[in-house]
Amino acid sequence: QVQLVESGGGLVQAGDSLKLSCAASGRTVSSYTMGWFRQAPGKEREFVGAISRSGNNTYYSDSVKGRFTISRDNAKNTVYLQMSSLKPEDTAVYHCAANWGWAMSPRSNEYDYWGQGTQVTVSS
């Protein structure tokens, strides 16, 4: 059992950077593969990336690869999403999610716990 709370969203200009945090409580987050997803108005939830339990491996969607970086600090029970070179099409509510399994899956239905989300808005 784990509870997740995202923070760090806001309104930025194209080309800016933001760092989102996902703070966990309950069971230590090191027990879980962690993922980030996003959902824009009127669109389906989209996979952003995932990180292994140890933090040694990451997996990203093609749309964010090279611009976004996922990291984790298991001692602080926190996962991060560093976003750089932001584009207007990155505008969405960003959610973190925890997966008890080992796979860094892009499928949302394979994750067991979800945060409430934080809004990221990128202006032109």
Side-chain angles (χ1 to χ4, degrees):
Q1 187 78 28
V2 63
Q3 296 78 46
L4 307 173
V5 179
E6 304 95 335
S7 62
L11 174 62
V12 298
Q13 295 180 337
D16 285 354
S17 298
L18 272 179
K19 189 173 185 178
L20 306 183
S21 298
C22 174
S25 61
R27 188 171 180 83
T28 177
V29 74
S30 65
S31 299
Y32 300 90
T33 298
M34 299 296 298
W36 285 94
F37 294 78
R38 64 187 183 184
Q39 188 166 23
K43 296 184 178 180
E44 295 181 346
R45 181 171 289 173
E46 177 188 15
F47 174 74
V48 174
I51 188 167
S52 63
R53 297 181 185 184
S54 67
N56 290 332
N57 296 289
T58 53
Y59 172 53
Y60 301 97
S61 70
D62 290 340
S63 63
V64 307
K65 188 177 297 183
R67 298 188 298 120
F68 291 10
T69 301
I70 299 173
S71 61
R72 65 192 302 163
D73 187 338
N74 288 338
K76 296 181 179 179
N77 227 24
T78 301
V79 179
Y80 304 96
L81 179 64
Q82 175 66 57
M83 304 182 293
S84 300
S85 301
L86 283 163
K87 306 174 181 179
E89 51 262 46
D90 294 319
T91 295
V93 175
Y94 284 72
H95 298 264
C96 65
N99 176 12
W100 182 248
W102 286 90
M104 294 181 289
S105 176
R107 301 174 64 89
S108 60
N109 62 3
E110 295 185 10
Y111 290 78
D112 302 295
Y113 305 101
W114 293 82
Q116 86 292 339
T118 186
Q119 176 71 46
V120 173
T121 302
V122 185
S123 63
S124 301

